Amino acid sequence: MTKNSFHEQYGSVALITGASSGIGWAFAEELAERGFDLVLAARRTERLEELATKLEATHGTRTQVCQSDLSQPDAPAKLLAETAGSDIGLVVSNAGFNIRGYFEQTDPAQMAEMLTVNCHAPMQLTHGFLPRLKARGKGGLIFTSSVEGLIGCPFSTAYSATKALVVGLGEGLWGELQGTGVDVLTLCPGATESEATAKYAEQYAAVPNMQPAAEVARLALDNIAEGPVFVPNAHYRAQFDQLTALPRQQALTAMAAGIKATL
């Protein structure tokens, strides 16, 4: 698909949640390069303003900055109201965070917040945006999940469970939306350069087979019509293909032993 045809199918405005860093920031840069105007949503508006200024200077991108704390249950409804006048053709539901370590040592309030950001927000945003996309007769939805959503992952159990919901949401919608002109892709990255992986490396150990966020975003957009699920990192694609093909007990035992050694 050429840049012009991509813009014709999914343009002219894209919404990105979690746009203040990592994969979200990379999606913004890649979409600006492809000629999109953007709605940028995140908690840290100073980071969004910095990004908006950069993209306007480099690409002439018009941006709408939305302060949005998706840990608040009413945040999706507010974001839908703020964008009511925008002809958004591509929704990138990217905001999320993870918690790692022993499950029983995890703060239950933090788990509840993660559930709201990782699960409630994409479900409610999609529910609101989908009628708009179907009325257009073309467009796209991208959900950022994780390879850890493909199998229950020991020592990131709660996070893995939230990302499994995202995989299920994306796969179900992919099936429902056949013939509507609306494409759905669930992106399942492995280790990706971000603030989160940097913090993990500081706390636990260096993360191998890291993929640049810009590469993840570019590959996701290049493969948006090839859903329902896309794993952009070849190493993790092979690893999780192998894990999910094993008997579950064997796969989980091996994963638990390998991860426990790094904690």
Side-chain angles (χ1 to χ4, degrees), residues 97-155:
F97 70 93
N98 59 31
I99 303 171
R100 303 193 188 281
Y102 286 87
F103 181 80
E104 74 278 11
Q105 295 176 7
T106 302
D107 179 3
Q110 193 178 21
M111 283 198 292
E113 182 178 337
M114 183 174 65
L115 189 66
T116 303
V117 174
N118 292 7
C119 299
H120 172 83
M123 188 173 288
Q124 295 300 320
L125 284 171
T126 303
H127 185 267
F129 277 110
L130 197 51
R132 303 182 194 180
L133 294 173
K134 291 177 75 173
R136 297 175 82 253
K138 59 183 179 180
L141 288 161
I142 295 177
F143 299 102
T144 300
S145 180
S146 167
V147 288
E148 294 192 12
L150 303 175
I151 185 173
C153 291
F155 300 104

Side-chain angles (χ1 to χ4, degrees), residues 68-80 112-113 115-117 120-125:
S68 183
D69 182 356
L70 292 174
S71 68
Q72 302 302 309
D74 62 347
K78 290 180 178 178
L79 191 51
L80 286 160
E113 182 178 337
L115 189 66
T116 303
V117 174
H120 172 83
M123 188 173 288
Q124 295 300 320
L125 284 171

Side-chain angles (χ1 to χ4, degrees), residues 45-65:
T45 53
E46 71 283 357
R47 290 278 290 159
L48 297 181
E49 295 288 358
E50 176 189 343
L51 176 59
T53 299
K54 176 184 177 182
L55 297 180
E56 182 179 8
T58 306
H59 303 290
T61 307
R62 293 180 295 179
T63 58
Q64 177 183 352
V65 169

